[in-house]
Every structure is written in structure tokens, then in C-alpha cells.
Amino acid sequence: MIRRTLTGLVLSGLAAVAAIVGVQAPAAYAACTSIPAGHDPAVIVIVHRVGRSLNVTDKVMLSGFEAGWVESHMNNLPCGDKSSLGVFQQRWDYGWGTPEQIMDPVYASTQYFTRAIVCARDNPGYRAGQVAQCVQRSGFPDRYDQVETKARSLMAEARRAAEMTAAASTDVNGDGRDDIVSFTQNALADVYVAPSTGSTFAGTSVKWNDFFALGGETALTGDVNGDGRDDIVAFTHGSLGDVYVGLSTGTGFLGGAKWHDWFAPGAELAAVGDVNGDGRDDIITFTHNPAGDVYVALSNGTSFGAGVKWHEFFAPAGEYPAVGDVNGDGRDDIITFTQGPATAADVIVGLSNGTSFGPGLKWHDLFAVGAELPRVGDVNGDGKDDIVTFTCNADADVYAAVSTGTGFTGTTVKWNDFFCTAGEFPFLGDADGDGKDDIIVFTKGALNDVYVGISTGTGFLGGAKWHDFFGLTGETTL
């Protein structure tokens, strides 16, 4: 199987300077005649993942995005001043690594954040821009703080990309009610669960696995063996592209077992869903680059089969993909939100026929504008997944457009007028087991509360607190 991965893109980007890789003369490196005006969406995802894998603070993460924007506009440049290369314009002759290493964004980001962690620790009063200067040692030290607003917007975009496919079910004990799951994704790599009672999430969260989904990996849930209980799935990404599964026993998750050894490498975006309708959830990956390919590896109940291309142009860079059964035929389809301005915030669907996804068709022409956070789920209980978007700002509005089986009903309707404020993480799940997906929000921050707005089929009730300490800042919550 030939894959166009980020590693391949990096190598192709190096083709123009193939003759200089490994050459020790600085004169062999060409200076950049210009820097792209925009960022590379794959690069920001990788920088974000590496930062998460090292459990960096928000300040250190921001410093990385400030440095990356100033140095390269978040592009993996095969050129620079003197011997500078890559996202952070690191110099091989100043001890940053070989040219090949520096042109690997994972390596370059690791080198940056490793140094930034030390700088921030030793200088607790430093701003993010000062941390960036501590690492970069630029002749223009004020540049980093000046781009804070842009860096924050890129961080938010990377976060949305990382969280967009978090639309899998979370009924981990198989009782018909979706539960809440949290992956610490730090050095401990614990997984906690608070099961739903139908009116609350059980008081004290319980550790269901003590080493799963390291920082930087994508952690998702889905019933991959078809026993009615949702399991945990981790995509390692990077150059290995392994996929691990921890099966649910109903009271815990078994140790992680490798179910695939090459899937969703680099900056690809992974998802879980039953795309062939056999009752077992499969794995899906969106290359999320100009090629816009979509690959699927079907579950046989004990592993995932070979990755096969199911679509050759869907959800390219800058769009935000998801998975759900939008026409109610028992097979999960692919959905992408273009997330442009009001004139270009389309929703495109590719229906599954069981062996591939059909052509992308526009199902809605104004939904999830700009930085809103869209989700997919069956909110009216008719067996067809609908689309929901959370503004997650001062307005805190929630809009829904329900599926007719061939489109999402034209004008979006506000289903709740105060749910999910800035910095909170919204999710959909059938928390009370009535067949209709409800809205769930993890407040994060200092409180770490979890609120639920029950679906009536035509709207969501006001948020009620179902848990008062779950899903800390930095953890992945589903």
C-alpha cells in the first residue's frame, strides 16, 4: 500500500535540497527568498501533539507557537538564514541535530519544547515570548510576544483538529447509557471512567487502565469487538503509526494490545466508527493534506485489517472531519465541516456503501462558522446522526441541524442558549439512555465540572451538573 504521509511530504520537501543534506558547508544552504503567508495545517497539528506528549504548560505551548510563527509561519522550510532549517529555523552547526533531523517536525518540536520546559521552570516569571527568546536566542527578542494573538489562534486550530473526531460513543459498560472517560495522557497515562446512572455520572471516578494513550497520541473509544461495550483505542501517529486497543470488561479496560502497526502516521487525523455495518467499529484516517485521502482498516474482532483507501479527496487541510451514520443505514459515513466564514461554512458528506465512501455532497451550506466546535450525533432519536455546533464563547449558543437522510435541514435552529463557554470542551452522548444524544461539557479549568443538557428531541434542556471533578485541564475527555 502506497501512502502519502507527512514523512513523505517532508522528504519531498527536501528533494530541492537533497544535495545539501549531510553537506557540512553552510554556503550550500540557500536563504529563503520568502516565507509562505499562511501556515501548514499538518505542522501545527504535529507541534501541538509533541507539546502534549511532553505535558507542557499552556505558556510553554504558546511559546512554541509564537516561535514557530515568527520563524517560519509554521512551515517546515528547507531553507533559511545561514544554516537555519525547519519550523523553528534550527541550525545544525549550533548543535540542534543533523539537517535531516531538523527537517523532521517531530524531532524539531521535541528539541524546542525540551529546552522551553527548562527555561520556563528556571524563570517562572517569564512570559511566553520570553520563553521563546530563551530557546531561540534571536537578535530580535521582542518579536515573539508581538505575535501572541496569532499564535493563540493557531493553537486553537490545532486543538480543534485534534478533537474534531471525538464523536465516538462512550458506553463502556454496555448498559445503553454513555459514560464519561478521561485519559490523563501524562507520564502516568491513566484512564478514568465515571459511569452514567441516567441522572448523574457516578460520584468518584474509577481508574479503568493505568497505562494507555501517552501524551501526543490520539485517544478514542468504540466497540471494536462488537460485544456491546465501548473499548479504548490509541493511535501513536509519528513514524510508527501503531494502533493499540484496550478491550472493556464492563468494569475496566484490559492492557493495550497492538491491533495495527501502520495507520494514521504523522499528522493524519484518526477516527473510529462502524463503516461497513457489521457491528464492530473500524478505524478511519484522514490524511488532511492537499491529497485529502481517507483510509479505512476494518475490524475483525481481534485486529484491524490492512488500510485501504476509501476516498481520494475529502476533508483536505483546513477542514474538520467527523464520522457518523447520517442516513440511518447502519453504516457510518464521513462528514467534513469547511469552517470558513458565513459564505463558506459548508458541511459535506460522503456516504458509506460498505466498501468505500461515495462522492462528497453538500448537505448544509451554513453551519459551524469559523472557530465554532461542531459535533455529530443523533439528537432527535430517529436513527440518523445530526450535526450540532457550539459557539463556546460569551454567547454560549448551541445550534442543531437534523438529518433528513439526504441533507441537514436548511436553517439551523438554536437548541440551547447558554452551554459551553470559552475554554470548555463540548461533547455529544446519550447520557440518560433514551436514544437521543444529549450535550455534555467538561468545564476544565479550576472546577473540572461536567454539565449535561438533556435532549427533548427538539431542544436541549438547561445544563445540570452531573459531576463535580472530572477531566482536568490537559486531559483528553470523552
Side-chain angles (χ1 to χ4, degrees), residues 22-400:
V23 175
Q24 299 302 305
Y29 291 85
C32 291
T33 56
S34 64
I35 295 177
H39 65 281
D40 183 336
V43 167
I44 65 170
V45 169
I46 287 179
V47 173
H48 183 268
R49 282 180 181 160
V50 171
R52 285 291 306 275
S53 73
L54 296 172
N55 199 32
V56 301
T57 64
D58 289 344
K59 180 167 66 176
V60 169
M61 183 73 84
L62 176 59
S63 80
F65 276 79
E66 289 181 351
W69 179 255
V70 166
E71 303 295 350
S72 69
H73 281 187
M74 280 293 192
N75 290 278
N76 198 31
L77 300 178
C79 56
D81 179 51
K82 299 183 177 68
S83 59
S84 299
L85 293 169
V87 180
F88 299 99
Q89 289 291 280
Q90 296 159 341
R91 295 182 61 175
W92 59 267
D93 52 349
Y94 274 55
W96 284 94
T98 67
E100 275 187 316
Q101 287 174 321
I102 293 170
M103 283 300 297
D104 175 356
V106 174
Y107 173 89
S109 300
T110 302
Q111 292 298 307
Y112 175 87
F113 283 123
T114 300
R115 290 163 171 77
I117 289 169
V118 175
C119 286
R121 182 196 64 206
D122 293 346
N123 302 278
Y126 272 16
R127 300 182 304 275
Q130 291 174 303
V131 173
Q133 170 61 12
C134 178
V135 176
Q136 298 294 98
R137 301 184 182 279
S138 169
F140 304 93
D142 297 329
R143 296 184 302 168
Y144 304 111
D145 278 324
Q146 293 170 0
V147 300
E148 178 179 348
T149 300
K150 179 63 178 180
R152 287 191 180 280
S153 72
L154 293 175
M155 283 174 58
E157 181 180 337
R159 178 190 172 198
R160 288 200 307 274
E163 296 172 346
M164 187 52 53
T165 52
S169 60
T170 54
D171 181 11
V172 297
N173 60 1
D175 66 356
R177 297 187 293 261
D178 278 332
D179 313 300
I180 50 175
V181 183
S182 185
F183 302 82
T184 64
Q185 295 209 272
N186 53 19
L188 297 176
D190 293 325
V191 185
Y192 288 89
V193 168
S196 172
T197 66
S199 58
T200 187
F201 295 118
T204 303
S205 56
V206 178
K207 188 188 296 186
W208 276 41
N209 189 294
D210 62 3
F211 194 75
F212 194 87
L214 303 178
E217 299 180 359
T218 294
L220 293 173
T221 54
D223 182 10
V224 298
N225 63 350
D227 66 355
R229 297 187 295 262
D230 285 323
D231 313 298
I232 49 176
V233 185
F235 300 82
T236 65
H237 298 297
S239 59
L240 295 177
D242 293 328
V243 185
Y244 286 85
V245 168
L247 294 174
S248 173
T249 65
T251 56
F253 299 117
L254 299 180
K258 189 188 292 186
W259 277 41
H260 205 293
D261 62 3
W262 180 248
F263 197 84
E268 296 185 4
L269 303 183
V272 174
D274 182 10
V275 298
N276 64 349
D278 66 354
R280 296 187 296 262
D281 278 339
D282 314 298
I283 51 175
I284 306 100
T285 186
F286 302 83
T287 63
H288 204 236
N289 57 16
D293 293 326
V294 185
Y295 288 84
V296 167
L298 298 175
S299 171
N300 60 25
T302 57
S303 66
F304 299 116
V308 178
K309 188 189 292 188
W310 276 40
H311 204 293
E312 62 181 9
F313 190 74
F314 197 88
E319 298 185 7
Y320 299 92
V323 174
D325 181 10
V326 297
N327 63 352
D329 66 354
R331 297 187 294 261
D332 280 336
D333 313 297
I334 50 175
I335 306 104
T336 187
F337 301 86
T338 64
Q339 291 226 274
T343 54
D346 297 326
V347 185
I348 311 294
V349 169
L351 295 175
S352 171
N353 60 25
T355 57
S356 65
F357 298 116
L361 301 174
K362 187 187 295 186
W363 276 40
H364 203 292
D365 60 2
L366 178 56
F367 198 84
V369 176
E372 294 181 9
L373 299 179
R375 299 291 186 261
V376 175
D378 182 9
V379 297
N380 62 356
D382 66 354
K384 298 185 290 285
D385 279 340
D386 313 300
I387 52 175
V388 177
T389 188
F390 300 81
T391 63
C392 289
N393 56 14
D395 295 327
D397 292 327
V398 184
Y399 291 87

